[in-house]
Amino acid sequence: MPATSPEYVKTSTAAAITLGFQPGSFHRDARLTGLNLLLTYNEPCAGRCAYCGLSGNRLPDAEPTFIRVDWPVYALDAILKEVRRDSRGLERVCIGMPTHRRSWDDLLKVVNRWHRESDLLISALLTPTACRGRDFFELRAAGADMVGIAIDCATPELFERYRGRGVKGPHRWEEYWEGVSRAVTVFGRGRVGIHLIVGLGETEAEMIQTIQRAQDMGVRTHLFSFFPETGTILARRRQPPMGQYRRVQLARYIINEGLGRAEDMTFNDAGQVMDFGMDITPLVKAGEAFRTSGCPGKDGRTVACNRPYGNERPSQAIRNFPFAPEPGDIRAVERQLRQGLKGAVAHAG
């Protein structure tokens, strides 16, 4: 019998280690608090996204990866049994769907099982292309309390180039934002998040304006740094400079926490942030802005989906801190915020 969903799912390598299915440990004793699962099928994802290791147009001999790591397949029964035996500090499960004709129906089945058999909070990572004509109220009734949608690209032009017609893919910018709006209608403001990837060719200004657009809809942004996946069209593309990523991280935090708006910020001719519109010194010192952004845990505030080392190898500088940054980390962040700027950033501490 093929190992496909809904009986089987993929897990991130971090989840497999946390559950004891694979040996391993986390650099700097990071701890996973959000379990990431992905529906799995024999056919490749119908999406052809230029940067995704699960893409239908990746090289045929390339090992499929997703968000930098391998995703081994396990029986859903085995995962649920292990979580019930020992939750290991996990607070939330996020169940993602590839673009596949069966993925909506299978998502409902997996979400419903988790709701009935576990006390973990449940997020569903939706692909609007695979949800055409579907009623999001079904997903809420099945037990999901939050929804994520991976828009990824900050502009319609980049979306079209890397996810749409530019790669002969099925995804459309307008349909994704309509999916976000539908999700807010069903789940409510503050219960929906979008994924955005820094480093696909956008300026800092363009990314920050898209974050503000989502915020105005009642939607938080979960920020990722581009990482080149082997066998994809963008396999040779470099990660965004650390300075670019840090400035966008800080702007996201300011916007999502309601401390300021994109229009309060000043940008240079290259679209880089020169002034955040406020004194950022206390925010940088606190370090919270540079931690992983994602769905919250049981206290409703602390991020559960902390994805340790999902944006970089452990040997590289940490881009999304899965734990509170230490004093040495903060000193590095202070330097990084100024890197690559054409001019001097204001209010940088």
Side-chain angles (χ1 to χ4, degrees), residues 190-267:
R191 310 303 298 175
V192 179
I194 62 166
H195 291 186
L196 291 175
I197 299 175
V198 176
L200 290 174
E202 77 290 337
T203 66
E204 294 169 27
E206 288 170 334
M207 178 61 74
I208 292 166
Q209 288 158 4
T210 300
I211 293 169
Q212 186 66 61
R213 173 182 179 176
Q215 177 72 8
D216 290 345
M217 296 173 68
V219 175
R220 295 178 71 88
T221 295
H222 306 159
L223 205 63
F224 294 73
S225 176
F226 171 77
F227 187 93
E229 304 276 4
T230 302
T232 64
I233 293 172
L234 297 184
R236 296 184 180 276
R237 187 181 187 90
R238 294 183 178 180
Q239 285 191 279
M242 188 64 86
Q244 176 185 352
Y245 193 64
R246 291 292 185 230
R247 289 187 291 274
V248 174
Q249 275 184 310
L250 184 54
R252 180 213 66 84
Y253 185 81
I254 290 170
I255 292 169
N256 279 178
E257 296 303 314
L259 303 175
R261 297 182 55 85
E263 52 264 37
D264 298 330
M265 302 178 191
T266 303
F267 303 88

Side-chain angles (χ1 to χ4, degrees), residues 68-256:
R68 201 190 70 75
V69 298
D70 297 330
W71 286 63
V73 176
Y74 296 102
L76 182 61
D77 285 343
I79 298 173
L80 277 163
K81 180 180 179 180
E82 190 59 33
V83 169
R84 287 194 302 267
R85 188 189 70 81
D86 182 357
S87 66
R88 292 174 168 83
L90 295 167
E91 297 192 21
R92 178 176 288 277
V93 60
C94 179
I95 305 163
M97 60 189 303
T99 308
H100 189 276
R101 64 186 181 280
R102 282 172 35 198
S103 59
W104 173 260
D105 292 334
D106 290 340
L107 176 68
L108 293 179
K109 292 174 184 176
V110 175
V111 167
N112 185 258
R113 279 205 65 186
W114 273 95
H115 182 58
R116 288 186 286 108
E117 301 179 33
S118 163
D119 65 353
L120 297 189
L121 299 170
I122 303 171
S123 295
L125 183 58
L126 301 183
T127 301
T129 309
C131 301
R132 290 169 181 160
R134 304 297 188 169
D135 186 350
F136 286 1
F137 280 104
E138 290 185 274
L139 184 60
R140 183 174 174 181
D145 74 303
M146 297 197 74
V147 160
I149 294 178
I151 292 179
D152 293 348
C153 305
T155 71
E157 294 79 15
L158 289 172
F159 191 102
E160 186 78 349
R161 182 185 308 166
Y162 293 136
R163 308 199 70 187
R165 295 179 180 87
V167 289
K168 299 180 180 179
H171 304 315
R172 298 293 178 264
W173 172 263
E174 296 82 4
E175 185 173 37
Y176 264 64
W177 282 101
E178 174 58 27
V180 173
S181 179
R182 288 172 56 203
V184 173
T185 299
V186 173
F187 288 86
R189 296 175 66 89
R191 310 303 298 175
V192 179
I194 62 166
H195 291 186
L196 291 175
I197 299 175
V198 176
L200 290 174
E202 77 290 337
T203 66
E204 294 169 27
E206 288 170 334
M207 178 61 74
I208 292 166
Q209 288 158 4
T210 300
I211 293 169
Q212 186 66 61
R213 173 182 179 176
Q215 177 72 8
D216 290 345
M217 296 173 68
V219 175
R220 295 178 71 88
T221 295
H222 306 159
L223 205 63
F224 294 73
S225 176
F226 171 77
F227 187 93
E229 304 276 4
T230 302
T232 64
I233 293 172
L234 297 184
R236 296 184 180 276
R237 187 181 187 90
R238 294 183 178 180
Q239 285 191 279
M242 188 64 86
Q244 176 185 352
Y245 193 64
R246 291 292 185 230
R247 289 187 291 274
V248 174
Q249 275 184 310
L250 184 54
R252 180 213 66 84
Y253 185 81
I254 290 170
I255 292 169
N256 279 178

